[in-house]
Amino acid sequence: MKRSIFTLTRAAFAAAAVGTAMMVTPALAQNTIKIGMITDKVGVAKAYAEPVAAGVSFAVKELNAKGGILGKQIELLVEDDQAKPDVSATMARKLVDAGAAFIISVSLTPATQQAQSVTKESKTPHMTPSNSGDTLTTQVDNPNFWQTGPLGSTQIATLLSYAKNKNYKRVALVGENSDLGQLTNKFFKAGLEKAGIQIVAEEVVAGGATTADPQMQKVRAANPEALFMTGITTGPNLLVLKSYRQLGIKTPVLASYNLSVPVYMTAAKGLIDGITFVDAFDPAKPATQRFIEAYKKDTGTEPYNLIGYGYDGVMLVADAITRAGSTDKEKVRVAMQATKSFKGVMGSTDAAYGFVDGKRTGFDTNGMVVRVYEGDKQGKVLHVGSK
């Protein structure tokens, strides 16, 4: 999970309340299929984790209304790891002991990584539907773990593909100094250099800064054809956007995945019109439109990308258990690994989840899109894929 500093929207809070509808009485528990969810309710990943968890809860509610899985209702067991790796492992053990047939991690990447120590040992099927770290399936050799959120490298490749198609030759990078922000900037820089695109300015806005004017003045002086916002924390990004407008800079902006978080529609109101950003959510996709309408009808609020990740995660789990024909852990593992051409609400119109060539990262490498803010709203898709 990426760290971000922003206030969770009222919509996400309302959506998270959907989970209360999933309670199953003890008398019925033996006739249920238990799915565990490890989320972060109080830690640094809370702002991201809660909307993803809301998508999980909504998917469970929708499936139960249609008869559940294999004729049994789904019992959602929820644990809070506070985004702490040691606590996450403890919660994973608790869910295994409670009989969870599958565990979904919706927390910080290091916490999700640590929880794998338990699911590897217990051979419990385990996935994260939203984390984007490129090493989640490689640092631990756990055949029972899958990742269906788009990799950070895929996000960057999509934005670079858009820049290449626009024929940008001279660009600037503006990032921030968090560890993840600097790593993201490094990846962007490497991709641009590989593509033969010249970086004419590279600036960093420190966390805790009160203005980005000095950095943006240098960018303006370098006169780039495009500006890449590589930061992944909201505070510095807001300063960059404010300075960009106040200094009257007209250079096109291509922003990281952090700009897809809906908080910018309120926190950066009046500053984001025309800003492009990479996303994994296309509201014009038919399946996505159906999801949006169903979610709005049920909760009274409109869903966005983070909620969609949680929804797709549960649907992938349900599909694997259904094809396995039981909750036998090995059968479910084999079924999940065999997933191919599964179309969810996330990704471009033609995108599909699948675990090919033995890999356990399932998001379509050409399934991300580049969108543009129209006024203060997230608007249409301008570009699809990383080719």
Side-chain angles (χ1 to χ4, degrees):
M1 281 290 187
K2 300 183 180 74
R3 298 180 183 221
S4 185
I5 304 172
F6 64 89
T7 303
L8 191 63
T9 62
R10 181 183 300 174
F13 275 121
V18 175
T20 59
M22 305 327 313
M23 296 296 185
V24 179
T25 62
L28 295 176
Q30 60 183 348
N31 295 318
T32 64
I33 289 178
K34 297 179 181 180
I35 294 178
M37 177 171 65
I38 303 173
T39 187
D40 174 18
K41 296 182 179 181
V42 297
V44 295
K46 174 183 175 180
Y48 283 94
E50 285 199 331
V52 179
V56 168
S57 295
F58 176 68
V60 169
K61 182 177 182 180
E62 188 173 87
L63 285 168
N64 279 342
K66 296 178 180 180
I69 305 174
L70 302 178
K72 295 183 177 182
Q73 293 287 284
I74 303 166
E75 182 181 359
L76 184 61
L77 309 177
V78 182
E79 299 294 343
D80 177 15
D81 70 0
Q82 306 165 48
K84 298 177 180 178
D86 57 337
V87 177
S88 197
T90 299
M91 294 302 101
R93 173 58 62 187
K94 183 177 179 180
L95 290 170
V96 169
D97 291 345
F102 213 112
I103 294 175
I104 296 175
S105 278
V106 181
S107 185
L108 205 62
T109 292
T112 299
Q113 194 81 58
Q114 191 63 32
Q116 285 196 61
S117 63
V118 174
T119 54
K120 179 180 180 180
E121 178 272 329
S122 64
K123 298 183 179 180
T124 302
H126 180 198
M127 73 174 297
T128 175
S130 52
N131 295 55
S132 60
D134 279 67
T135 59
L136 264 171
T137 63
T138 58
Q139 285 188 344
V140 178
D141 183 19
N142 181 5
N144 310 291
F145 178 82
W146 299 269
Q147 175 182 8
T148 54
L151 298 179
S153 56
T154 299
Q155 299 174 25
I156 293 169
T158 302
L159 207 53
L160 291 176
S161 173
Y162 174 69
K164 187 176 180 180
N165 285 354
K166 298 292 286 186
N167 201 32
Y168 294 134
K169 301 296 185 183
R170 302 171 68 259
V171 304
L173 296 178
V174 178
E176 38 82 16
N177 65 346
S178 71
D179 290 342
L180 187 54
Q182 287 295 287
L183 182 61
T184 302
N185 190 80
K186 180 180 177 181
F187 287 144
F188 267 103
K189 187 174 181 179
L192 288 165
E193 291 174 345
K194 184 177 180 180
I197 299 174
Q198 182 185 5
I199 300 172
V200 297
E202 185 176 356
E203 298 295 326
V204 176
V205 178
T210 58
T211 180
D213 284 355
Q215 293 86 351
M216 295 302 288
Q217 285 169 348
K218 292 178 182 179
V219 167
R220 182 175 61 180
N223 194 29
E225 295 172 340
L227 166 62
F228 280 82
M229 285 180 62
T230 64
I232 52 82
T233 57
T234 305
N237 280 344
L238 289 174
L239 293 177
V240 170
L241 291 169
K242 185 177 180 180
S243 292
Y244 173 81
R245 294 301 185 191
Q246 289 182 341
L247 294 174
I249 300 173
K250 302 300 182 183
T251 304
V253 174
L254 289 69
S256 75
Y257 187 65
N258 181 260
L259 264 289
S260 72
V261 180
V263 68
Y264 286 95
M265 291 188 283
T266 52
K269 191 172 184 179
L271 303 175
I272 51 178
D273 182 44
I275 303 294
T276 55
F277 61 98
V278 66
D279 198 4
F281 197 68
D282 181 358
K285 181 179 178 179
T288 308
Q289 289 180 335
R290 290 191 292 272
F291 163 68
I292 291 172
E293 290 307 311
Y295 192 88
K296 285 171 62 177
K297 182 178 180 180
D298 187 76
T299 69
T301 60
E302 186 163 341
Y304 50 90
N305 52 10
L306 296 176
I307 298 171
Y309 283 131
Y311 180 88
D312 274 1
V314 172
M315 292 304 177
L316 281 159
V317 170
D319 176 68
I321 293 175
T322 299
R323 285 186 287 109
S326 77
T327 55
D328 177 83
K329 291 182 178 181
E330 176 58 17
K331 290 181 180 179
V332 173
R333 184 197 69 78
V334 171
M336 178 60 82
Q337 190 62 54
T339 300
K340 290 182 176 63
S341 303
F342 184 97
K343 291 200 172 186
V345 303
M346 298 302 294
S348 60
T349 300
D350 295 327
Y353 294 99
F355 304 105
V356 299
D357 301 325
K359 294 181 180 180
R360 289 177 283 112
T361 52
F363 193 88
D364 193 328
T365 56
N366 284 300
M368 295 207 77
V369 300
V370 175
R371 298 174 65 188
V372 62
Y373 276 100
E374 298 172 322
D376 292 316
K377 300 291 185 181
Q378 294 181 352
K380 61 180 175 291
V381 169
L382 301 177
H383 179 83
V384 176
S386 56
K387 294 181 179 179

